[in-house]
């Protein structure tokens, strides 16, 4: 009974925070895909719609946010913003640091946490240079952006992308040269950048400078 | 990971246990009676159990601890888990060999000491992360190793206060502990030098700001008082301070110093600056 109770409680907690199932990604993710995002800082108006959409979609509790929007500063009389989320790195430092193997990367590049293995040690929160990870104060598990893998697997875009009123976020397959995200990246040229390139994480979330 | 009290205690007990064990092994190898060494090893074993309890208390889901060895390839924390289990096992075997006069103690002892050393290094390496600039240096594991050596020597000294250890041996132990303390001061001064180049850390805050009282407590409790006691004992002999007073006082002070040191190292571990506006906006 105790085992069933614990399992049920974990199941409820997982469902509330996005319901991660480790095998799902490997089965449904495309073999050669690399899901990623380009965020055009010239378009972002700092409205926080992405933050709200994310919190609502994943029913995140108070104190937990997978998306953040930071004020960068002013230039030519305009305020610029920097939205951040899990960068779904090609070389995720959270994955190498995780002692239990709870953090894993799907074949399509989405980095997830298998809560059935997470001990809540929090070393991943130390290792991530992007501040993308938290320990959920309620469930006690490591929590982070899932890139809405369940929506993506159904052919939809992540909630933050869909909610952006100015289409500042472009989502797609970074490995497909014909995808919009690849074309926008290419067109951005030298204005395309990633956060902390010196760490060799190779983020799948990229930015276009103002 | 916000390092709460259980995690700080895990690090302290781990260093204390590993340091005590390897000091006991080396001391016995150098001719110290096995009864003294065994008492120290039993204490080391208890400390390792306490370390285990502390780390379990730190985890929010210890029931998944069975997966703790799943990422030995890349995770220092995973290696750390394996090493403390191995160290505990070897310490227990060493104690049993000593108790029942079984053969093969020397190899078990030295392998255990080596595992203890690698365990302490591994604990330090778990902190060496580019995302935490204050820790992203080899000085972190080095500090841990030196700290474990200091703690271990003073722990061993508390078991060496009786007449069954010759005065000269006790003096040699004090000299070794004094030298280890001086090495520790040099290494920690080096770490302060490293921190001076880390923009995420305010050295002023650490030395004379909000953390200043703790920093100076660490210096006085962990370095100054034990060095004075050791210095007085070595220069004026047992007539001034008894072995027991020296050993117990110094152990308490170095433990307090280590506790503050570990806490301070965690308190200054600000994450790397996420972005610099001038890099995004181009010199604005």
């Amino acid at each position: 009974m105790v085992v069933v109770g614990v399992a049920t409680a974990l199941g409820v907690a997982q469902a509330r925070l996005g319901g991660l199932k480790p095998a799902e990604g490997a089965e449904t993710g495309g073999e050669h895909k690399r899901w990623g995002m380009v965020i055009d800082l010239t378009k972002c108006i700092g409205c926080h719609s992405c933050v709200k959409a994310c919190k609502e979609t994943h029913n995140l509790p108070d104190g937990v946010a997978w998306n953040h929007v930071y004020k960068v500063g002013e230039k030519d009389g305009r305020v610029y913003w920097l939205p951040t989320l899990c960068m779904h790195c090609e070389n995720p430092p959270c994955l190498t640091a995780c002692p239990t193997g709870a953090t894993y990367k799907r074949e399509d590049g989405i980095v997830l946490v298998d809560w059935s293995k997470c001990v809540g040690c929090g070393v991943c929160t130390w290792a991530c240079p992007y501040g993308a990870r938290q320990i959920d104060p309620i469930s006690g598990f490591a929590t982070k952006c899932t890139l809405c893998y369940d929506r993506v697997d159904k052919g939809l875009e992540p909630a933050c992308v869909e909610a952006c009123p100015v289409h500042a976020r472009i989502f797609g397959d970074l490995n497909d040269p014909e995808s919009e995200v690849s074309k926008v990246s290419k067109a951005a040229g030298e204005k395309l950048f990633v956060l902390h390139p010196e760490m060799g994480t190779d983020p799948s979330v990229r930015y276009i400078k103002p | 990971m916000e390092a709460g009290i259980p995690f700080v205690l895990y690090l302290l007990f781990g260093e204390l246990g590993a340091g005590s064990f390897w000091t006991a092994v080396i001391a016995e190898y150098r001719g110290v009676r096995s009864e003294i060494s065994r008492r120290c090893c039993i204490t080391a074993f208890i400390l390792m159990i306490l370390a285990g309890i502390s780390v379990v208390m730190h985890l929010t889901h210890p029931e998944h601890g069975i997966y703790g060895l799943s990422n030995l390839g890349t995770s220092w924390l995973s290696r750390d888990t394996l090493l403390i289990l191995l160290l505990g096992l070897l310490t227990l075997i060493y104690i049993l060999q000593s108790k029942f006069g079984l053969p093969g103690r020397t190899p078990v002892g030295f392998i255990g000491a080596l595992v203890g050393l690698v365990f302490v290094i591994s604990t330090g390496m778990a902190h060496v992360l580019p995302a935490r600039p204050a820790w992203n240096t080899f000085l972190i594991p080095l500090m841990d190793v030196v700290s474990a050596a200091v703690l271990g020597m003073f722990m061993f000294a508390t078991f060496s206060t009786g007449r069954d250890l010759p005065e000269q041996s006790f003096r040699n132990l004090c000299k070794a502990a004094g030298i280890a303390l001086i090495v520790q001061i040099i290494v920690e001064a080096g770490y302060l030098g490293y921190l001076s180049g880390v923009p995420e850390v305010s050295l002023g805050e650490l030395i004379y700001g909000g953390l200043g009282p703790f920093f100076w407590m660490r210096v006085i409790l962990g370095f100054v008082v034990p060095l004075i006691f050791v210095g007085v004992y070595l220069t004026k002999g047992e007539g001034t301070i008894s072995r027991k007073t020296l050993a117990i006082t110094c152990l308490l002070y170095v433990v307090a110093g280590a506790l503050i040191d570990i806490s301070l190292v965690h308190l200054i571990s600000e994450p790397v600056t996420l972005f610099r506006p001038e890099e995004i906006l181009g010199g604005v």
Side-chain angles (χ1 to χ4, degrees):
Chain A
M1 281 298 284
V2 173
V3 175
V4 172
V6 170
T8 308
L10 290 177
V12 169
Q14 289 207 353
R16 185 175 56 73
L17 288 180
L20 310 183
K21 292 172 190 168
E24 203 170 37
E27 286 166 12
T28 54
E31 246 183 60
H32 305 290
K33 285 190 188 328
R34 181 182 173 189
W35 295 120
M37 193 184 292
V38 168
I39 304 177
D40 189 344
L41 302 188
T42 59
K43 290 183 179 175
C44 179
I45 54 173
C47 66
H48 288 69
S49 296
C50 47
V51 178
K52 288 172 199 154
C54 178
K55 276 189 83 87
E56 282 170 16
T57 302
H58 299 286
N59 196 18
L60 301 181
D62 287 346
V64 175
W66 292 350
N67 267 271
H68 303 272
V69 179
Y70 299 97
K71 186 178 177 182
V72 179
E74 289 185 34
K75 183 182 177 184
D76 302 330
R78 205 198 128 177
V79 177
Y80 287 93
W81 306 87
L82 181 85
T84 64
L85 61 157
C86 171
M87 301 288 157
H88 296 276
C89 306
E90 187 66 11
N91 310 308
C94 55
L95 189 150
T96 52
C98 175
T100 63
T103 299
Y104 66 101
K105 193 168 68 144
R106 302 202 323 180
E107 286 180 16
D108 56 10
I110 298 178
V111 178
L112 296 174
V113 183
D114 177 359
W115 289 340
S116 69
K117 290 182 178 176
C118 179
V119 288
C121 69
V123 73
C124 53
T125 65
W126 282 357
C128 175
Y130 307 107
R133 282 181 172 258
Q134 285 175 274
I135 295 294
D136 185 307
I138 297 169
S139 72
F141 291 116
T143 177
K144 62 179 276 299
C145 157
T146 63
L147 209 62
C148 291
Y149 76 95
D150 46 345
R151 290 171 57 90
V152 171
D153 289 345
K154 289 176 193 160
L156 300 170
E157 291 186 318
C160 59
V161 176
E162 196 176 87
C164 182
V166 292
H167 198 49
R169 295 179 181 229
I170 302 116
F171 173 80
D173 181 7
L174 299 170
N175 284 348
D176 176 7
E178 296 306 312
S179 65
E180 186 188 0
V181 71
S182 294
K183 287 176 182 171
V184 169
S185 301
K186 196 176 174 186
E190 289 185 355
K191 287 198 165 188
L192 192 76
F193 73 102
V194 294
L195 294 175
H196 290 302
E198 76 284 0
M199 293 193 186
T201 54
D202 190 6
S204 296
V205 175
R206 297 154 187 190
Y207 297 92
I208 298 175
K209 279 183 190 176
Chain B
M1 165 162 60
E2 298 321 317
I5 292 169
F7 192 73
V8 171
L9 289 178
Y10 164 69
L11 297 174
L12 178 71
F13 290 142
E15 285 180 13
L16 204 48
S20 301
F21 181 67
W22 76 53
T23 307
V25 169
I26 293 167
E28 192 175 349
Y29 184 73
R30 289 175 61 88
V32 171
R33 285 180 59 185
S34 61
E35 287 79 9
I36 302 173
S37 169
R38 188 165 67 238
R39 286 200 294 268
C40 189
C41 287
I42 290 170
T43 308
F45 185 68
I46 293 167
L47 286 164
M48 287 167 211
I49 292 172
L50 289 175
I53 294 169
S54 302
V55 81
V56 165
M57 286 173 69
H58 163 72
L59 302 175
T60 52
H61 287 281
E63 74 276 13
H64 296 161
I66 195 165
Y67 298 106
L69 304 178
S70 299
N71 201 6
L72 292 169
T74 61
S75 169
W76 283 102
L77 217 54
S78 198
R79 293 166 188 165
D80 201 47
T81 309
L82 175 67
L83 288 164
I84 196 167
L85 290 173
L86 264 178
L87 178 60
L89 182 67
L90 288 165
T91 306
L92 185 62
I93 292 170
Y94 192 75
I95 292 165
L96 294 174
Q97 283 176 316
S98 170
K99 176 85 178 162
F100 300 108
L102 302 172
R105 293 191 66 210
T106 307
V108 169
F110 276 93
I111 292 169
L114 187 66
V115 168
L117 177 68
V118 181
F119 159 69
V120 175
I121 293 171
S122 174
T123 307
M125 287 304 295
H127 292 77
V128 180
L129 299 161
R132 300 277 163 164
W135 297 344
N136 197 24
T137 166
F138 73 96
L139 289 169
I140 292 286
L142 185 59
M143 285 198 300
D144 289 349
V145 170
V146 179
S147 172
V150 168
L151 291 165
M153 279 188 245
F154 283 115
M155 175 62 84
F156 189 80
T158 61
F159 294 100
S160 316
T161 54
R163 287 294 126 201
D164 46 0
L165 185 76
E167 174 62 13
Q168 191 53 46
S169 299
F170 190 79
R171 290 180 72 83
N172 287 343
L173 179 64
C174 289
K175 275 183 202 164
I179 292 168
L181 270 171
I182 291 166
V183 171
Q184 193 177 21
I185 292 170
I186 294 167
V187 172
E188 298 218 357
Y191 182 60
L192 284 179
Y194 166 78
L195 288 180
S196 67
V198 175
E200 285 81 1
V201 178
S202 164
L203 219 50
E205 169 71 11
L206 178 64
I207 296 173
Y208 48 82
L211 296 175
F214 300 101
F215 174 81
W216 291 109
M217 269 170 68
R218 192 274 175 271
V219 172
I220 293 164
L221 298 182
F223 298 136
V224 177
V225 175
L227 272 177
I228 289 173
F229 270 73
V230 169
V232 169
Y233 187 87
L234 289 175
T235 52
K236 300 197 173 174
E238 212 176 348
T240 320
I241 308 169
S242 71
R243 281 191 192 183
K244 195 173 274 182
T245 307
L246 170 78
I248 294 173
T249 309
C250 284
L251 178 65
L252 290 176
Y253 277 85
V254 292
V255 165
L259 201 57
I260 299 170
D261 192 49
I262 295 167
S263 305
L264 282 175
V265 167
H266 283 86
L267 284 170
I268 60 168
S269 70
E270 286 299 311
V272 66
T273 305
L274 185 60
F275 65 91
R276 299 190 191 287
E278 63 275 14
E279 287 175 6
I280 294 175
L281 299 179
V284 174

